[in-house]
Amino acid sequence: MAKIIDMLSEEEKAKVRKVLKAVKEEKRKVKYTNKHNVPQEIINAIHNDNYTRGKAIISVTGLLQSPRIRLLANEHEEELVVDVSDEIWKLLGQSVHTILERANENNKDTITEQRMFAKVNEWTISGQTDSIDIKDNILKDYKVTSVWSVVSAKKDGKAEWEQQLNLYAWLYRQNLGKNID
């Protein structure tokens, strides 16, 4: 990464530093609207998201996000406004993950919702797997998505899903020194 940064202009380097500083902050302050009169309990649930990437500079999903989108979001953070109705889908995903985590509570052959960390140059990267089947050596990542995404993924594959799993497998090797399927 240091070699890439050396090739940037001073203005581009300043932008990269700004993004890195913003990425280090735990949570972005989002301005919300409620155009569709969503009940307060739903709004509270959206605001009380306990997601954290730990002490990492960036998470696996953050690495997979478009750098341009990340840069623009950080540069125009004070201008961004999100309606709470556009965040409801996150609650469904969190609910399903909580149920699946509960399903593995007493399963000694499964590691559930384990956050792993690895260092690459000055960056600490983290990723949290949904489930690791120790006995069968299988890493699992569950998706809550539309039927059309599943149909498309079965037909053409879903590169970002595969990349996410590959990064989790890399983190697993970095943390435990073993390969995983």
Side-chain angles (χ1 to χ4, degrees), residues 17-68:
R17 281 190 219 98
K18 183 179 178 182
V19 170
L20 287 174
K21 182 181 178 197
V23 167
K24 286 180 184 178
E25 296 172 2
E26 190 59 33
K27 284 197 176 187
R28 180 179 288 152
K29 299 290 182 199
V30 177
K31 295 176 194 161
Y32 286 103
T33 58
N34 188 8
K35 295 177 184 173
H36 302 287
N37 211 18
V38 172
Q40 189 61 47
E41 292 85 359
I42 303 295
I43 294 170
N44 293 345
I46 290 167
H47 289 200
N48 291 330
D49 182 358
N50 64 357
Y51 171 80
T52 177
R53 66 178 169 269
K55 295 191 181 210
I57 287 179
I58 196 163
S59 68
V60 164
T61 51
L63 278 174
L64 297 175
Q65 182 185 30
S66 163
R68 181 173 287 167

Side-chain angles (χ1 to χ4, degrees), residues 12 29 45 61 64 74 81 91 99 130 136 145 162:
E12 291 169 323
K29 299 290 182 199
T61 51
L64 297 175
N74 286 324
V81 179
L91 297 179
I99 291 166
D130 293 336
D136 294 330
T145 189
E162 186 174 342

Side-chain angles (χ1 to χ4, degrees), residues 9 55 95 99 106 109 111 121 131 133 135 173:
S9 70
K55 295 191 181 210
S95 300
I99 291 166
N106 296 319
D109 292 329
I111 300 170
N121 295 329
S131 178
D133 184 325
K135 190 174 96 188
R173 279 191 304 278

